[in-house]
Amino acid sequence: MKKYLLALDQGTTSSRAILFDRDQNILAISQRELTQIYPHEGWVEQNPMEIYSSQYAVMVEVLASSGIDPNEVAAIGITNQRETTILWDKETGRPIYNAIVWQCRRTAPLVQELLDQGLGDHIRKTTGLVPDAYFSATKIKWILDHVDGARERAAKGEILFGTVDCWLTWKLTGGKVHITDATNASRTMLYDIHKLDWDDTLLKALDIPRAMLPEVRSSSEVYGYAALPDAHIPIAGIAGDQQAALFGQTCFAPGDAKNTYGTGCFLLMNTGTRAIESKNGLLTTIAVKLGDTVQYALEGSVFVGGAVIQWLRDEMRFFGEARDAEYYAQKVKDTGGVYLVPAFTGLGAPHWDMYARGCLVGITRGTKREHIIRAAQESIAYQSNDLLLAMQRDCNTQLAELNVDGGASRDAFLMQFQADISGCPIRRPVIRETTALGAAYLAGLAVGVWQDQDELKQLWRCDTVFQPEMDDATRKIKLHGWDKAVGRSLHWMEPEKES
């Protein structure tokens, strides 16, 4: 029995590869940062060839550094930044435009056109999503509108669309396989999550040819084989990064929830085989598809989570290393009344305001750098708490605990503040690489490395539990201040000025 699993974790800021054994021990990690391209204000792009080349490079590096024979790898699992949109030439394999990243706001007017056509309710009920420029659908239309001849060629099947998982699978299999999984399809704003098919009404409204779309498969099966110099390894698991993290946290039962602290923050709660329609601005999405069984989730997204720390480091130059934020935040006893709302690209759930912008309020003559850094740290927890409250209202239940992962979950100050402001125990696992672990789990199940989810559940181990320590009165005052600050950031831009 081959006992190694290779997870390819293609994220917004980097491409990573992690090699696990069947006991979920990490044997090797390799990572390369990804170039971010900002052609105009609010636009975010990446080079699809760099996405692939960086991912391929770390895959080869991780195998070489581990000393493991590629033929001993049972399967590859892929997890990816979601909604990021790539169109490429089927014959040459060359992209026809840069990847438009999920954060990009350029298609906000196209979303408004859909709303003006009265399609808002149809989008919510069919796709489970809130109409927004965040998702893939309007990004596809934008590229087809702006690249000469693209729509006509796409109708003939000469131009292919894919999210990042689809692009990587196509490249790794030498152009033999054009597929995506149900979790990624559910993030395009084109996929009927109930009928499990592309939606003709939305395809027609956006003038997107069905011929360019990938086949939608389950999250755990053998899709094809990655061609390496000395081996052909089955690609056997695919899930969007947040669904992969939910699976990696073994949130298999209805009511299980996790929050991932990355570039953005993503809170997901498993709702089982029932798709719950949110009344509080959350998304209904596919959590996982195993065989013919679909599990759904409620999801809330914070667009700017850990990215606010990167902003303080790179643009404001408040410190040299992201990890220094934790140190500076603890140099003051509180924020001195300062709130930072990092709505740099609008606000996600539960507000869904494409025209919100960042604001810093409560500044006095005594405000210091440390106060602003602490306010930035706290903003991540406040935004996550907004999601948690919305989720509890939708499910009419109090969350017993929250599993956490992602880079910023290493920050003990942030995790304690999250427990305090949410009044909820926070559980951090021993294996923090839960996104990659989820991809490995899905791939391993498909090829028999693990027999079932019960076996995976027994492997999960808790590292730290952060218990709430803040009194209710203090929590109420802080949350009131946060709500006031968010109110200042809403509807800042005028819709006609976003183009």
Side-chain angles (χ1 to χ4, degrees):
M1 168 68 72
K2 296 179 180 180
K3 60 181 180 179
Y4 303 108
L5 282 308
L6 179 58
L8 305 184
D9 183 357
Q10 206 300 302
T12 309
T13 56
S14 69
S15 296
R16 309 168 74 235
I18 303 181
L19 189 66
F20 295 93
D21 66 18
R22 72 178 315 279
D23 296 319
Q24 75 175 20
N25 296 307
I26 294 174
L27 304 181
I29 299 179
S30 184
Q31 176 172 338
R32 290 196 181 187
E33 290 215 355
L34 206 57
T35 305
Q36 311 296 312
I37 303 166
Y38 305 103
H40 301 285
E41 183 183 350
W43 291 30
V44 189
E45 297 178 359
Q46 291 170 351
N47 181 342
M49 297 307 293
E50 185 187 357
I51 291 174
Y52 171 66
S53 64
S54 61
Q55 191 63 71
Y56 189 86
V58 293
M59 177 176 67
V60 172
E61 283 170 8
V62 88
L63 290 168
S65 65
S66 68
I68 300 297
D69 186 328
N71 289 292
E72 288 300 306
V73 177
I76 290 172
I78 295 175
T79 182
N80 55 286
Q81 54 168 314
R82 305 169 305 168
E83 299 95 19
T84 294
T85 299
I86 303 171
L87 271 60
W88 68 93
D89 186 301
K90 183 178 180 180
E91 288 301 312
T92 67
R94 300 290 303 179
I96 66 169
Y97 190 81
N98 273 342
I100 300 183
V101 177
W102 60 273
Q103 300 158 312
C104 187
R105 309 308 300 168
R106 79 183 68 182
T107 64
L110 297 179
V111 175
Q112 190 60 51
E113 287 177 17
L114 293 174
L115 294 173
D116 293 343
Q117 293 172 38
L119 286 168
D121 284 344
H122 178 80
I123 289 170
R124 289 183 185 89
K125 291 183 184 303
T126 303
T127 70
L129 307 177
V130 175
D132 195 84
Y134 177 35
F135 305 109
S136 310
T138 53
K139 295 172 168 48
I140 300 171
K141 175 175 170 55
W142 191 95
I143 296 174
L144 292 176
D145 286 345
H146 288 82
V147 175
D148 286 344
R151 184 169 276 104
E152 294 74 15
R153 295 187 63 210
K156 298 175 187 174
E158 296 174 8
I159 302 295
L160 302 180
F161 152 71
T163 40
V164 170
D165 62 297
C166 179
W167 166 244
L168 291 176
T169 303
W170 196 86
K171 294 292 285 182
L172 289 169
T173 60
K176 293 184 176 70
V177 179
H178 184 221
I179 59 98
T180 189
D181 92 300
T183 68
N184 280 291
S186 74
R187 310 300 298 183
T188 59
M189 211 171 80
L190 291 173
Y191 191 68
D192 188 325
I193 62 171
H194 311 288
K195 295 178 180 176
L196 304 181
D197 193 13
W198 301 111
D199 181 68
D200 287 324
T201 299
L202 293 171
L203 292 177
K204 182 179 179 182
L206 292 162
D207 195 13
I208 293 173
R210 186 181 267 262
M212 69 189 299
L213 304 177
E215 179 188 354
V216 182
R217 306 273 283 273
S218 80
S219 307
S220 180
E221 62 176 278
V222 176
Y223 314 101
Y225 292 82
L228 274 74
D230 301 313
H232 284 74
I233 306 175
I235 302 171
I238 295 176
D241 51 11
Q242 302 316 317
Q243 288 97 331
L246 188 71
F247 202 81
Q249 288 274 28
T250 66
C251 293
F252 301 148
D256 289 350
K258 70 88 200 174
N259 194 25
T260 296
Y261 298 81
T263 306
C265 292
F266 300 88
L267 184 63
L268 274 74
M269 178 189 286
N270 188 325
T271 63
T273 54
R274 186 165 68 103
I276 295 176
E277 187 176 344
S278 176
K279 307 296 183 188
N280 294 282
L282 300 176
L283 309 178
T284 306
T285 197
I286 292 177
V288 71
K289 183 171 186 275
L290 298 174
D292 294 327
T293 302
V294 173
Q295 282 195 320
Y296 294 91
L298 281 172
E299 173 174 337
S301 306
V302 171
F303 291 160
V304 178
V308 71
I309 304 303
Q310 294 172 331
W311 173 72
L312 289 180
R313 179 193 67 190
D314 299 337
E315 272 70 47
M316 304 307 290
R317 307 202 176 191
F318 277 9
F319 41 75
E321 299 286 342
R323 62 176 178 267
D324 294 340
E326 180 180 6
Y327 167 79
Y328 286 114
Q330 295 176 93
K331 297 287 281 183
V332 286
K333 63 178 175 42
D334 54 35
T335 67
V338 172
Y339 289 89
L340 171 59
V341 183
F344 303 149
T345 57
L347 283 172
H351 310 284
W352 288 107
D353 183 353
M354 294 185 286
Y355 305 108
R357 287 297 178 266
C359 70
L360 186 62
V361 296
I363 299 172
T364 67
R365 182 63 183 82
T367 298
K368 299 190 293 187
R369 173 180 62 163
E370 288 80 3
H371 291 123
I372 296 172
I373 293 171
R374 183 169 179 131
Q377 289 273 76
E378 291 186 359
S379 76
I380 301 171
Y382 281 125
Q383 292 179 96
S384 296
N385 186 64
D386 286 346
L387 304 181
L388 202 59
L389 293 173
M391 207 162 275
Q392 291 176 160
R393 287 193 293 269
D394 275 335
C395 296
N396 197 26
T397 183
Q398 188 77 22
L399 199 66
E401 59 190 21
L402 180 65
N403 295 313
V404 298
D405 55 69
S409 71
R410 294 181 175 87
D411 187 325
F413 167 80
L414 174 59
M415 293 301 97
Q416 184 59 54
F417 189 77
Q418 186 73 74
D420 288 342
I421 211 65
S422 301
C424 175
I426 301 296
R427 297 205 318 154
R428 187 172 64 187
V430 172
I431 302 289
R432 316 256 175 96
E433 302 289 352
T434 51
T435 303
L437 185 62
Y441 280 168
L442 290 165
L445 285 174
V447 297
V449 172
W450 298 292
Q451 294 308 305
D452 53 33
Q453 288 164 272
D454 288 339
E455 186 177 355
L456 298 179
K457 197 80 177 171
Q458 292 169 10
L459 289 172
W460 193 93
R461 299 190 301 278
C462 184
D463 170 48
T464 310
V465 178
F466 297 89
Q467 295 287 354
E469 298 172 355
M470 187 180 289
D471 63 85
D472 290 342
T474 303
R475 181 184 301 119
K476 188 174 181 180
I477 291 168
K478 288 182 177 293
L479 288 172
H480 177 66
W482 169 253
D483 290 340
K484 281 174 62 181
V486 170
R488 302 296 192 270
S489 77
L490 296 174
H491 315 302
W492 184 260
M493 298 292 289
E494 297 295 330
E496 63 269 22
K497 292 181 181 178
E498 297 258 337
S499 61

